[in-house]
C-alpha cells in the first residue's frame, strides 16, 4: 500500500507520542502511588443497617493508631453518614464507602479522593490530610431530586505542631 | 492482489429516470429521519440553555412548570434527545442517502428500511411518554437501581433495534451492489457507512442485554432486583463505542465529502479505509475507562482498557493528517500559495464547509481533553466534574453536531429541492457555534479541574457552591448566550429553507470527493471477515472474563416497592 512520505513521518510521530503517554501513565501510577478503587468484596445492602451485621450499621470514624484512621461512610439519599468527620492535621485516613440505596459519588475537594459509590460494593481509598481546613465531600453522581444538597465535610484540625505559635 | 476501482458504476442502467425519481423512497426516509432528529435537537438544546442559565444562578424552571417538573427531568430529556435521538435518527437518515448515492443503487429491500424506521418512531414515542410524564427521570445513562417506567426501557430498545433493522436494509443493498460489481472496490463513502453500522451492532449488544435481561423485566416486576455494577459495565460496553457511532459519520463526511466541497481531493483514501477498519476493532474493548473510579473492577482490567484507549486514539491522529492534507489540496487548487496561504483560499463563504471545518477545530480540543480523561491517573482529578460536559460538548456536542448541521446545509436543500435560505445566516450560525462553544466548554472544563464542581448537578442551588466559581460560571454563561443565538439561527435557516426556500435551479447532489492517490487498494482493505472476527475476538478478550465474574457474583438488589427518588 502506498503511503505518502510526510504521512509516514506523521504515523511514526503518532505512535511515538502514544507510547510515551502510555509509559507516562504507567510510571505516574506506580511511582506516585495513584490509586483507584478495586475489588473489596460485596456487601448486602439489605442487611447494611442491621445492627452488628456490617460496619455501616453504625457508620463512624475509628482511630487505629495515632495519626491513622479509618472511616466507614454510608451514602444514602441525600446525605453521607457521618456527615462530618474531624481529624487532626497530618492524619492518614482510609475510607470504606457503600450505598444504602441508589448509586452515588464521592469526591473530596482538593484531594485525590474521587470514587463511585454503588449499592452492594465497597469503595476504598486512602489519603493524608496535611493542611488544616474544611474539606467539602460532594456527591457527584445523580441520585435524585435532592442530589445537589448531598454533601458532607471533613474538618482537619490544626495540631500543636501544625499551628504557628504566636 | 488488489481490487479495481470503479470506472463509472451503473450509469447505463439508470436510464432516463432522474435521481429524484430513482431515489424517491430514500429521499422521503432521509427527510423524515432528519426532520425528527432536528425536532428532538431543538427541544434538547432549549433544555441545555435552561441548564446553563441555572448554573449561572438564573433559575427559570418555575416558568416551564408543569411541562418540566425539575432540573433533573430537563437534564434527562436533554441527554436522551441530544445524545441518543438526534444522533441516531440523523445518522440513519444521513446514511440512507450516503450509502445509496455512493453505490448509486436504491435500497434493495424497501420494506426492511421502512420497518426499521417504523420501529424507531414507535420507540421514540414510547421513550417520550415516561420522560415527559416525569416517570423516567433517571438521566440518559439510567443507572440501576434508579427505576424508570418500563415504557422508557422498551422504547429505547426499539430505537436501537430499529436502527439495526435500518442497517440490515443497508447490508442487503450492499449485497445487491456486490453481485453486480464483482471484484470492484466498495466506494469509500458506502464502506465507511457500512462499517459504522456494523460497529454499532456489535457495540449495542451490551445495552441490549442490560435492558432486555435485567432492567425491562425488573421494571415489569418479573425480576426482584438489579445489580448496579453489572448494569454499569453493560452500559459502558456500549457507552464508549457509542461515541464512535456519533463520530464516524462526521469522519465520513470529513474524508469523503468535505474535500470535494473545498475544491480538493481525498489525500490518502487507502489510509482512510484503514482508519474505519481500526475503529471497527478498537471501539468496543475500552469501556472500563469510564469506570476507573468504580469499585469491584480490578485495577489491572482498568489499566488494560486504558491502554487500548490510547490505541483507539491512533486512527484519530491519522485522520487529523489526512483531512488537513486533503483540505490543503483544495486550498492550493483554488490558488493558495505558501505554507499557510492555502488556508485563506478555502471556501469560507460556504456554510456547509465552514461549519464542518469549525467542528474539526473544536474536535481537536475535545481530543486533547479526551486523552486526559482516558489516562488512568488524571481521570481521578476530573471524573464526574463539570470537566466532562466541557469535554463532550466539544465532541458529540460539536464535532458531531456542528458537522451534522454543516451536512444539513446541503442535505436539506437536496431533499427539499430548495435553495438554502440565507447562506449568510448559516455562516453566522457556524461562527457563533465556534465561539459559543469555546467559552462554554472552557468555563466548564476549568470549573471541574480547579474547583471539582460536580456534573449532573443543579449547581445554582448547591450549598457547597463557592463564590470563587463565579468568573468561570460567567464565562460559560457567555458561551451559552452565544450558543442560544447560534441554535436559533440554525433552526431559522432550516425551517425557512423548507417552507420558503427558492426552488433550486439545478438538483443539489451529494458531494463525493475523488481520491488523490490512485494507487491500488489492497484487497484486505475491502474484505469484511477478518476485521469482524478481530473485533469480536477483542471484545471477548477485553470483556469476557470480567463479565463472567460479574454475572456469577450478581446480586439482585431489591429496593422498596415504588422507591422513587425524583
Ligand atoms: C447548544 C447548547 C447546549 C447547551 C447550552 C448545553 C448545556 C448543557 C449543560 C449545562 C449540561 C450539564 C448539566 C449538568 O451536568 O448538570 C449539559 C449536559 C449534557 N449535554 Fe448539553 N448543551 C447544549 C447542547 C448539547 C448538544 C448539541 C449535545 C449533544 C448532541 C449535548 C449533550 C449533552 C449531554 C449528553 C449531557 C450530559 C447529560 C447527563 O449528564 O446526563 N448538549 N448540557
Ligand atoms: Cu448522592
Amino acid at each position: 500500500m502506498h503511503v505518502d512520505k510526510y504521512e509516514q513521518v506523521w504515523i511514526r510521530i503518532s505512535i511515538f507520542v502514544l507510547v510515551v503517554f502510555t509509559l507516562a501513565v504507567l510510571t505516574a501510577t506506580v511511582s506516585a502511588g495513584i490509586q483507584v478503587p478495586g475489588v473489596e468484596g460485596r456487601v448486602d445492602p439489605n442487611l447494611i443497617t442491621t445492627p452488628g451485621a456490617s460496619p455501616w450499621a453504625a457508620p463512624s470514624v475509628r482511630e487505629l493508631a495515632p495519626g491513622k484512621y479509618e472511616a466507614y461512610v454510608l451514602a444514602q439519599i441525600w446525605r453521607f453518614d457521618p456527615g462530618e468527620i474531624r481529624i487532626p492535621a497530618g492524619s492518614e485516613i482510609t475510607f470504606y464507602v457503600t450505598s444504602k440505596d441508589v448509586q452515588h459519588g464521592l469526591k473530596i475537594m482538593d484531594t485525590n479522593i474521587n470514587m463511585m459509590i454503588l449499592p452492594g460494593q465497597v469503595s476504598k481509598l486512602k489519603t493524608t490530610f496535611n493542611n488544616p481546613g474544611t474539606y467539602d465531600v460532594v456527591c457527584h453522581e445523580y441520585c435524585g431530586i435532592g442530589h445537589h444538597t448531598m454533601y458532607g465535610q471533613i474538618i482537619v484540625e490544626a495540631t500543636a505542631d501544625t499551628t504557628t505559635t504566636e | 492482489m488488489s481490487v479495481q476501482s470503479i470506472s463509472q458504476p451503473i450509469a447505463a442502467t439508470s436510464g432516463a429516470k432522474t435521481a429524484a425519481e430513482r431515489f424517491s423512497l430514500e429521499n422521503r426516509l432521509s427527510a423524515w429521519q432528519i426532520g425528527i432528529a432536528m425536532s428532538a435537537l431543538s427541544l434538547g438544546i432549549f433544555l441545555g440553555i435552561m441548564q446553563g442559565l441555572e448554573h449561572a444562578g438564573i433559575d427559570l424552571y418555575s416558568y416551564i412548570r408543569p411541562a418540566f417538573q425539575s432540573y433533573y427531568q430537563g437534564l434527562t430529556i436533554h441527554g436522551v434527545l441530544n445524545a441518543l435521538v438526534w444522533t441516531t435518527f440523523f445518522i440513519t437518515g444521513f446514511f440512507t442517502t450516503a450509502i445509496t448515492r455512493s453505490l448509486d443503487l436504491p435500497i434493495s429491500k424497501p420494506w426492511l428500511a421502512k420497518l426499521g424506521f417504523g420501529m424507531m418512531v414507535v420507540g421514540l414515542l414510547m421513550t417520550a411518554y415516561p420522560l415527559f410524564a416525569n416517570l423516567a427521570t433517571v438521566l440518559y445513562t439510567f443507572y440501576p437501581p434508579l427505576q424508570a417506567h418500563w415504557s422508557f426501557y422498551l422504547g429505547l430498545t426499539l430505537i436501537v433495534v430499529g436502527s439495526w433493522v435500518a442497517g440490515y436494509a443497508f447490508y442487503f443493498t450492499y449485497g445487491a451492489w456486490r453481485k453486480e460489481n464483482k471484484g470492484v472496490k466498495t466506494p469509500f463513502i458506502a464502506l465507511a457507512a457500512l462499517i459504522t453500522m456494523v460497529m454499532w451492532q456489535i457495540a449495542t449488544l451490551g445495552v441490549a442485554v442490560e435492558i432486555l435481561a435485567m432492567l425491562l423485566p425488573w421494571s415489569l416486576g418479573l425480576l426482584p432486583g438489579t445489580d448496579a455494577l453489572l448494569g454499569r459495565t453493560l452500559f459502558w460496553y456500549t457507552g464508549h463505542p457509542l461515541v464512535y457511532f456519533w463520530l464516524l459519520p462526521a469522519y465520513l463526511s470529513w474524508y469523503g465529502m468535505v474535500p470535494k466541497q473545498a475544491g480538493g481531493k481525498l489525500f490518502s483514501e487507502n489510509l482512510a479505509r484503514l482508519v474505519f477498519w481500526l475503529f471497527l476493532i478498537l471501539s468496543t474493548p475500552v469501556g472500563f475507562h469510564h469506570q476507573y473510579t468504580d469499585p469491584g473492577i480490578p485495577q489491572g482490567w482498568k489499566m488494560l482498557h486504558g491502554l487500548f484507549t490510547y490505541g483507539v486514539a491512533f486512527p484519530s491522529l491519522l485522520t487529523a493528517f489526512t483531512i488537513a492534507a486533503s483540505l490543503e489540496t483544495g486550498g492550493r487548487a483554488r490558488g493558495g500559495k505558501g505554507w499557510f496561504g492555502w488556508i485563506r483560499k478555502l471556501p469560507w463563504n460556504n456554510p456547509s464547509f465552514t461549519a464542518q471545518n469549525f467542528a474539526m477545530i473544536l474536535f481537536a480540543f475535545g481530543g486533547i481533553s479526551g486523552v486526559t480523561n482516558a489516562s488512568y491517573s488524571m481521570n481521578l482529578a476530573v471524573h464526574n466534574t463539570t470537566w466532562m460536559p466541557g469535554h463532550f460538548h466539544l465532541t458529540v456536542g460539536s464535532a458531531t453536531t456542528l458537522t451534522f448541521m454543516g451536512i444539513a446545509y446541503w442535505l436539506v436543500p437536496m431533499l427539499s429541492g430548495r435553495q438554502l435560505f440565507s447562506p449568510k445566516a448559516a455562516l453566522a450560525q457556524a461562527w457563533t457555534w465556534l465561539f459559543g462553544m469555546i467559552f462554554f466548554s472552557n468555563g466548564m472544563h476549568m470549573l471541574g479541574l480547579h474547583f471539582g464542581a460536580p456534573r449532573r448537578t443543579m449547581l445554582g442551588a448547591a450549598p457547597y457552591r463557592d463564590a470563587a466559581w463565579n468568573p468561570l460560571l460567567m464565562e460559560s454563561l457567555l458561551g451559552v448566550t452565544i450558543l442560544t443565538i447560534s441554535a436559533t439561527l440554525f433552526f431559522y435557516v432550516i425551517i425557512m429553507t423548507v417552507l420558503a426556500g427558492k426552488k433550486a435551479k439545478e438538483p443539489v447532489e451529494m458531494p463525493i470527493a475523488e481520491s488523490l492517490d490512485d494507487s491500488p487498494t489492497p484487497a484486505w482493505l475491502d474484505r469484511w471477515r477478518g476485521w469482524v472476527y478481530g473485533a469480536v475476538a477483542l471484545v471477548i478478550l477485553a470483556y469476557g472474563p470480567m463479565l463472567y465474574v460479574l454475572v456469577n457474583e450478581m446480586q439482585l438488589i431489591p429496593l422498596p416497592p415504588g422507591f422513587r427518588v425524583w
Side-chain angles (χ1 to χ4, degrees):
Chain A
M1 185 166 84
H2 161 82
V3 178
D4 173 79
K5 74 172 189 290
Y6 290 108
E7 195 146 30
Q8 289 186 16
V9 174
W10 174 263
I11 291 176
R12 292 210 184 94
I13 297 177
S14 302
I15 295 178
F16 177 74
V17 167
L18 291 173
V19 170
V20 169
F21 275 6
T22 306
L23 294 177
V25 171
L26 286 175
T27 35
T29 310
V30 176
S31 69
I34 303 261
Q35 26 144 23
V36 296
V39 182
E40 286 302 315
R42 300 229 171 200
V43 287
D44 184 348
N46 297 311
L47 297 178
I48 209 116
T49 47
T50 313
S54 90
W56 293 274
S60 62
V61 184
R62 292 164 215 183
E63 184 168 8
L64 300 175
K68 249 186 172 342
Y69 293 81
E70 62 179 18
Y72 284 84
V73 178
L74 185 63
Q76 56 192 293
I77 53 168
W78 290 290
R79 63 197 170 88
F80 292 107
D81 194 6
E84 190 187 288
I85 292 175
R86 285 177 183 270
I87 47 168
S91 314
E92 180 195 273
I93 177 164
T94 309
F95 294 90
Y96 297 87
V97 194
T98 188
S99 164
K100 196 175 116 178
D101 40 52
V102 294
Q103 302 191 14
H104 298 276
L106 184 153
K107 180 173 173 68
I108 306 178
M109 300 299 196
D110 304 317
T111 70
N112 238 345
I113 302 270
N114 187 344
M115 51 193 180
M116 296 302 305
I117 313 299
L118 311 189
Q121 295 281 344
V122 180
S123 306
K124 171 190 168 190
L125 281 182
K126 73 166 179 240
T127 191
T128 303
F129 287 95
N130 287 319
N131 300 324
T134 303
Y135 295 76
D136 285 336
V137 181
V138 172
C139 173
H140 64 50
E141 185 53 82
Y142 168 70
C143 56
I145 195 77
H147 160 56
H148 50 278
T149 62
M150 178 162 170
Y151 85 121
Q153 286 187 326
I154 295 178
I155 297 164
V156 179
E157 293 167 331
T159 55
D161 30 296
T162 52
T163 16
T164 39
T165 39
E166 276 153 278
Chain B
M1 201 188 81
S2 65
V3 274
Q4 317 157 6
S5 351
I6 9 163
S7 39
Q8 262 307 311
I10 336 204
T13 58
S14 45
K17 275 195 182 173
T18 64
E21 288 161 357
R22 284 182 71 218
F23 292 106
S24 79
L25 170 74
E26 289 73 11
N27 284 359
R28 263 181 301 139
L29 270 177
S30 288
W32 272 101
Q33 280 154 332
I34 288 166
I36 293 174
M38 288 178 180
S39 317
L41 183 70
S42 65
L43 182 56
I45 287 188
F46 166 73
L47 289 162
I49 294 165
M50 300 294 284
Q51 286 149 214
L53 295 175
E54 197 283 338
H55 283 180
I58 309 165
D59 180 349
L60 298 181
Y61 285 87
S62 56
Y63 297 98
I64 56 171
R65 222 163 267 136
F68 304 96
Q69 306 283 338
S70 69
Y71 178 88
Y72 298 106
Q73 186 189 8
L75 181 58
T76 308
I77 297 175
H78 178 73
V80 171
L81 289 187
N82 286 357
L84 304 177
V85 176
W86 150 247
T87 50
T88 310
F89 277 80
F90 190 95
I91 292 167
T92 21
F94 173 46
F95 280 4
T96 303
T97 294
I99 292 178
T100 54
R101 298 308 151 89
S102 166
L103 297 175
D104 196 21
L105 195 68
I107 288 194
S108 63
K109 293 205 187 320
W111 66 271
L112 210 53
K114 287 185 206 159
L115 175 68
F117 173 64
M119 290 173 75
M120 288 174 70
V121 171
V122 173
L124 178 58
L125 295 173
M126 292 188 66
T127 312
Y129 156 67
L131 278 177
F132 288 97
N134 200 21
L135 296 172
T137 299
V138 294
L139 302 193
Y140 84 109
T141 45
F142 49 87
Y143 291 143
L146 293 171
Q147 190 185 64
H149 188 276
W150 59 266
S151 174
F152 175 77
Y153 301 119
L154 193 57
L156 283 182
T157 311
L158 280 176
I159 294 180
V160 169
V161 177
S163 70
W164 291 356
V165 174
Y168 303 149
F170 299 151
Y171 308 152
F172 277 112
T173 310
Y174 178 53
W177 176 87
R178 182 44 89 209
K179 253 202 208 122
E180 304 285 310
N181 296 275
K182 294 229 163 64
V184 176
K185 81 174 166 186
T186 316
F188 170 74
I189 291 176
L191 183 77
L194 289 162
I195 294 177
T196 307
M197 288 313 276
V198 172
M199 189 277 287
W200 176 237
Q201 314 239 298
I202 299 176
T204 38
L205 288 175
V207 81
V209 171
E210 182 195 6
I211 292 185
L212 293 177
M214 191 157 78
L215 301 185
L216 184 61
W218 172 58
S219 66
L220 288 167
L222 303 174
L223 208 66
T226 50
D227 185 296
L229 183 60
L230 181 58
R232 287 176 71 82
T233 306
L234 290 169
F235 182 87
W236 286 114
Y237 168 104
T238 299
H240 193 76
L242 176 63
V243 315
Y244 294 110
F245 179 62
W246 300 332
L247 196 59
L248 292 186
Y251 278 14
L252 181 160
S253 174
W254 299 352
Y255 275 117
M257 300 176 177
V258 174
K260 166 88 173 179
Q261 294 174 299
K265 293 185 173 176
L266 170 51
F267 186 75
S268 40
E269 194 188 297
N270 289 338
L271 277 182
R273 289 169 191 262
L274 177 63
V275 160
F276 275 82
W277 289 120
L278 287 176
F279 276 116
L280 176 66
I281 60 173
L282 290 173
S283 291
T284 310
V286 294
F288 286 153
H289 74 218
H290 289 263
Q291 295 179 276
Y292 284 152
T293 60
D294 280 19
I297 294 174
Q299 285 94 343
W301 282 105
K302 296 177 177 175
M303 188 68 100
L304 181 74
H305 283 220
L307 299 185
F308 278 141
T309 305
Y310 284 122
V312 74
F314 177 64
S316 282
L317 286 170
L318 278 183
T319 301
F321 184 94
T322 307
I323 304 283
S326 304
L327 294 183
E328 184 177 342
T329 66
R332 296 211 186 279
R334 297 165 62 94
K337 299 256 161 10
W339 276 72
F340 296 107
W342 59 271
I343 297 179
R344 288 209 0 250
K345 291 283 183 187
L346 290 171
W348 295 107
N349 57 354
N350 172 350
S352 176
F353 170 83
T354 304
Q356 297 191 62
N357 198 294
F358 290 166
M360 297 169 192
I361 294 173
L362 290 170
F363 186 59
F365 294 116
I368 295 169
S369 71
V371 172
T372 313
N373 306 340
S375 55
Y376 193 74
S377 43
M378 284 189 280
N379 182 273
L380 276 184
V382 294
H383 172 77
N384 263 4
T385 67
T386 58
W387 169 282
M388 288 299 155
H391 161 71
F392 58 67
H393 283 87
L394 293 175
T395 56
V396 65
S398 294
T400 300
T401 298
L402 189 51
T403 296
F404 289 1
M405 289 170 162
I407 291 171
Y409 291 148
W410 62 260
L411 184 52
V412 171
M414 171 174 154
L415 297 175
S416 63
R418 293 168 188 274
Q419 293 174 21
L420 187 67
F421 183 88
S422 182
K424 281 229 171 68
L427 263 185
Q429 186 275 321
W431 281 94
T432 42
W433 196 277
L434 174 70
F435 284 101
M437 212 34 109
I438 288 176
F439 290 123
F440 172 62
S441 147
N442 188 59
M444 299 284 274
H445 271 106
M446 292 308 142
L447 189 65
L449 183 65
H450 295 308
F451 299 106
R455 67 178 283 206
R456 314 188 118 175
T457 301
M458 200 173 166
L459 287 178
Y464 44 80
R465 178 199 171 95
D466 197 301
W469 301 3
N470 286 341
L472 290 171
L473 286 170
M474 288 305 127
E475 182 187 352
S476 107
L477 178 66
L478 174 65
V480 171
T481 312
I482 304 175
L483 283 170
T484 308
I485 298 171
S486 184
T488 312
L489 284 170
F490 174 72
F491 293 110
Y492 170 72
V493 169
I494 296 297
I495 292 173
M496 293 305 279
T497 302
V498 175
L499 296 183
K502 286 201 212 91
K503 281 257 172 296
K505 290 181 209 83
E506 299 202 330
V508 180
E509 286 187 10
M510 180 170 97
I512 302 182
E514 286 170 49
S515 170
L516 182 70
D517 161 28
D518 47 17
S519 68
T521 297
W524 53 273
L525 284 179
D526 205 29
R527 281 215 205 101
W528 288 82
R529 194 159 297 156
W531 295 105
V532 174
Y533 286 163
V536 173
L538 270 185
V539 166
I540 294 176
L541 178 84
Y543 267 106
M546 228 14 248
L547 277 177
Y548 178 79
V549 171
L550 288 179
V551 169
N552 259 333
E553 288 184 350
M554 181 168 71
Q555 288 170 304
L556 291 180
I557 301 169
L559 275 183
F563 189 81
R564 182 173 138 177
V565 291
W566 65 86

